[in-house]
Amino acid sequence: MIAVDGPAASGKGTIATRLGSAYGLPVLDTGLLYRAVGVILQRAGGDLDDGDAAARVAGQLSSAMLDDPAFRTRTAGEAASRVAAHPAVRAALLQFQRDFAAQPGGAVLDGRDIGTVIAPEAPAKLFVTATAEVRAERRWKQLAAQGEGVTLPDILADIRIRDARDGGRDAAPMRQAADAVLLDTSEMTIEQAADAARRIVEAARARWRSSS
């Protein structure tokens, strides 16, 4: 079981995917769950600040509903950060994530509270980060490639707002688990970051085996 936490556009999603491929494990982007809740709620004309309505959407979510490209947009990211602040939404999605983490053979989950709330027992925990400026440039390039007309200053402002919201919420705030290894990808390529992550996981596996 591998927990990969960190702020938006830190590279944690790519790292989680690479780790899943390296170890033959299923991967869950837990942020996609919250993006789906936000987008589906908005499509139904709901209010993102209505915790009860958002929780009802979260309670009906299934894996088969997560392939919508609309969940990968800038708007979806903002919606996710807002609905994720509702304790009822987090409670509704808690078991979904824990069941995924506990499946036989292991799993990789990336998000903001995997190592602290969803899978605190995970033997391998990473907290992936980068400077706000680097993360904003990454997200800007990603969104521009998808055809979204966005500016770098606007994305940087979004990143800072989301960091403050995700780290300051009462329900499962984003923070590094005490036993998670910090991986700053600010000056790393994707390959370098993935390689560093694999080394962290290998060290965790060695510790786990020696204590078993």
Side-chain angles (χ1 to χ4, degrees):
M1 190 186 300
I2 304 172
V4 185
D5 289 308
S10 59
K12 66 183 184 297
T14 300
I15 285 173
T17 299
R18 294 292 184 94
L19 289 174
S21 296
Y23 295 106
L25 297 174
V27 180
L28 177 63
D29 173 1
T30 64
L32 195 58
L33 302 178
Y34 294 95
R35 285 170 172 261
V37 170
V39 171
I40 292 171
L41 179 60
Q42 285 182 311
R43 284 175 177 169
D47 182 354
L48 294 175
D49 295 322
D50 185 340
D52 290 337
R56 285 193 292 273
V57 174
Q60 299 168 0
L61 205 62
S62 69
S63 299
M65 301 166 66
L66 300 179
D67 292 332
D68 193 327
F71 300 160
R72 300 288 185 180
T73 65
R74 176 189 178 191
T75 301
E78 170 62 20
S81 186
R82 287 174 64 181
V83 299
H86 301 308
V89 172
R90 305 199 74 85
L93 295 175
L94 181 63
Q95 198 57 49
F96 184 109
Q97 297 172 81
R98 285 185 170 168
D99 287 346
F100 190 94
Q103 59 189 298
V108 184
L109 290 84
D110 84 79
R112 301 219 182 358
D113 64 345
I114 309 304
T116 55
V117 176
I118 304 302
E121 73 281 16
K125 298 181 186 178
L126 295 79
F127 191 86
V128 183
T129 190
T131 66
E133 291 76 14
V134 167
R135 290 186 286 123
E137 184 171 1
R138 289 172 180 169
R139 181 54 53 84
W140 173 63
K141 289 179 178 178
Q142 177 188 32
L143 293 174
Q146 294 173 192
E148 292 200 41
V150 294
T151 68
L152 183 55
D154 283 347
I155 297 300
L156 179 56
D158 285 352
I159 288 286
R160 287 174 170 158
I161 289 170
R162 290 188 63 185
D163 285 353
R165 185 186 293 133
D166 294 344
R169 66 189 178 219
D170 293 330
M174 177 182 67
R175 62 182 175 83
Q176 180 179 345
D179 55 346
V181 177
L182 180 66
L183 176 57
D184 190 327
T185 66
S186 298
E187 298 182 4
M188 292 183 178
T189 65
I190 291 175
E191 293 300 330
Q192 289 171 334
D195 184 60
R198 283 193 295 271
R199 291 199 301 271
I200 292 170
V201 172
E202 283 301 312
R205 291 178 79 194
R207 289 194 301 273
W208 181 75
R209 284 168 175 165
S210 64
S211 64
S212 297

